Structures are given as structure tokens and as C-alpha cells.
Amino acid sequence: MAEIEISGRMAVKTLKKQMKVAYGVTLRVYNGNRFADEDATLASIRKGDAKGGVVTVNGHMLVGNFEKAIMENYGIKIQIANGDDSKLSDDNISLSAAGESIRNAEKREKKNVVSTDEKTDSVSLLNAGKKVFGKNNRRKFIEGEFVIPDGFTEIGERAFYGCSSLTSVSIPDSVTEIKREAFRGCSSLTSVSIPDSVTEIGSGAFYGCSSLTSVSIPDSVTEIGSDAFYDCSSLTSVSIPDSVTEIGGGAFDDCPLPPGLLLYANGTKCY
């Protein structure tokens, strides 16, 4: 069974790639409350009191023990997630077993696909009654104004990831969740209409939407994920209703918001 030796010289992207190839698992690597830069080395984001050294990993190692070893050696939080990075693995199974469960889940999901739109990679899944738009979009040509068709219940993970020519998007009131990194890197996005059916805005959902100037969050939303609007460098106006009970770390970091809106690191909001 393949072994991986992890040292401080290893880049985040290299670690993620090797774990994917060897065990079929997806890593979430954090630098504090944010996702770590892909090009950063582990040593560069290591916390001062961590001991460093080499961590040897094999497929028999439990997920929880792997995460603990990285924390002890580098002070870095790491999580093992499933193939599309939407759900965390059980701490008490091995890395190989985690990869196997991911592969089995992906096979079951493929059997549930009932329709695919060739242009947008929108996928309808018979999954607990959910209809997911655009999970893991790999096409970057969506541009200008875009209207998501009615009937979808979720905007999938990375649905519009990297669509740098997308300028506005209209979301139907059938949507209840905007998943992780759904609009990350949509640097030309100036306007987004969030309907009052949405209850959750996922981590990094609008990360790096540098042309977005204002956003109004409806009363239906209860949770805003970590880094949700991180590095929205033109965002000067945001309206957060009392319905929001949780705001993740870094949700509005690197946004030029006025001092009237204060966000504590633990996710509590105040005005």
C-alpha cells in the first residue's frame, strides 16, 4: 500500500494531489480560518509552536489520526472530504476506506443522473428530492447575464467557478442553498439576485468576486459560510438580516466595508 512522506517543503497543492492519487480522498487545508493558498508550503503556514518534521502516511492510518498528526507537526487544520468536497469523512475509518466510500458514493450518484445540459454542465440528481444546478462546472465560457432555470433547489459546488466573464446572475426562488465556491473567481460579476428562498450561503460562495459592489441577503438566510465574500474588493454595501445566526470566519475579509458592520472571528455578528 502506497506511503506518502509529508514534509514542510511540500506545497499544499502537491499534498492534495498525492493524497488524491494514493487514496482517492479530497483534502481541505486551512491557514487559520481560511483555505490555504495552493502554492504555499506547509512550512510557510506552520504555526510557531508546532514541532515540524516528517509525517509518514499510509492507507491503514485512520482519518482522525492523520488530521491529528498534521495538526501536531505543523499546527495546520486538515480535513478529509468526499469526492466533490461537500461532506467530511468519518474520523474512525482508514484513509483507504474513506477513498473507497467516496468512489462508491460517486458510482451511486452517477446512476442517479437523469439529465445533463451540455452547455452549462447542469445536472439533475435524484438525491433526496434535490435538483442541483451545475455541480463542478469545468467550462468557463458562461458570460454576460445568466438566468438559472426555475426548478433547481441548489446551486452546486463550483457551479460557476472561474467564469470570469459572467456579469450578472438571476437565481429562481426554488433555490434553497448556494453551495461552496459556487461563484468563486467570477471577477466580472457585478449583480446577483438572491431570492428569499435561500437559507444557506456556502463557504467561499462568492470568493474573489472583485466587481461585486453590493449584496442584499434575504431574511430567509440563517448561515453565511467561511470566506463567503472573501476578497470581494469592490463590496462596499451589505445588508445582513437578523435571521442570520452564523457567519463563518473570514466571510467578509478583504472587503472595503465601512466600519458600521463588524464581524467577530468566531462568527458572531454585531453592528
Side-chain angles (χ1 to χ4, degrees):
M1 187 169 291
E3 284 193 351
I4 299 175
E5 288 194 346
I6 301 171
S7 71
R9 295 189 298 272
M10 183 175 284
V12 169
K13 63 183 178 184
T14 303
L15 173 60
K16 293 171 75 172
K17 181 178 179 179
Q18 289 192 17
M19 292 293 291
K20 187 75 171 179
V21 170
Y23 313 119
V25 297
T26 300
L27 290 192
R28 297 181 186 177
V29 183
Y30 295 84
N31 183 6
N33 287 326
R34 305 191 193 106
F35 293 114
D37 189 311
E38 295 284 298
D39 293 318
T41 63
L42 298 183
S44 71
I45 59 176
R46 188 181 76 185
K47 305 311 175 199
D49 56 349
K51 62 184 180 181
V54 175
V55 176
T56 302
V57 181
N58 62 56
H60 297 298
M61 180 178 279
L62 297 182
V63 168
N65 289 344
F66 168 69
E67 294 173 352
K68 182 179 179 181
I70 298 299
M71 176 59 73
E72 289 178 347
N73 283 64
Y74 301 105
I76 298 171
K77 179 181 177 181
I78 280 185
Q79 294 175 321
I80 301 289
N82 62 0
D84 66 7
D85 205 7
S86 63
K87 184 179 180 181
L88 297 180
S89 293
D90 189 330
D91 285 346
N92 297 314
I93 63 174
S94 70
L95 292 172
S96 293
E100 184 63 27
S101 67
I102 288 167
R103 287 188 290 273
N104 289 338
E106 288 173 343
K107 288 177 182 177
R108 288 194 299 270
E109 184 172 284
K110 286 179 180 178
K111 291 180 180 178
N112 285 335
V113 174
V114 294
S115 66
T116 302
D117 183 283
E118 186 66 23
K119 180 177 180 182
T120 63
D121 280 346
S122 62
V123 180
S124 302
L125 300 177
L126 296 177
N127 180 11
K130 295 180 179 179
K131 191 177 181 184
V132 183
F133 181 88
K135 181 189 290 187
N136 287 318
N137 175 36
R138 292 180 173 83
R139 303 183 181 190
K140 311 303 181 197
F141 57 72
I142 299 176
E143 58 185 25
E145 300 177 358
F146 192 86
V147 177
I148 296 174
D150 193 22
F152 287 96
T153 58
E154 293 180 4
I155 299 177
E157 306 242 350
R158 304 182 181 91
F160 293 89
Y161 187 107
C163 292
S164 57
S165 297
L166 179 70
T167 58
S168 71
V169 63
S170 179
I171 302 171
D173 58 14
S174 56
V175 170
T176 60
E177 292 184 61
I178 300 174
K179 289 293 193 178
R180 181 174 178 266
E181 298 184 341
F183 295 95
R184 179 169 178 169
C186 294
S187 55
S188 298
L189 184 66
T190 59
S191 173
V192 59
S193 174
I194 302 176
D196 58 12
S197 56
V198 172
T199 60
E200 181 180 342
I201 298 173
S203 299
F206 294 93
Y207 188 123
C209 291
S210 55
S211 297
L212 194 63
T213 57
S214 66
V215 62
S216 179
I217 297 170
D219 291 339
S220 55
V221 173
T222 59
E223 181 179 346
I224 299 173
S226 60
D227 295 333
F229 293 91
Y230 178 79
D231 196 27
C232 289
S233 54
S234 299
L235 186 62
T236 57
S237 174
V238 61
S239 173
I240 301 177
D242 292 336
S243 60
V244 175
T245 58
E246 182 177 346
I247 299 176
F252 293 95
D253 278 8
D254 286 2
C255 298
L257 291 169
L261 178 65
L262 302 176
L263 302 173
Y264 289 122
N266 66 1
T268 306
K269 69 186 178 71
C270 72
Y271 295 90

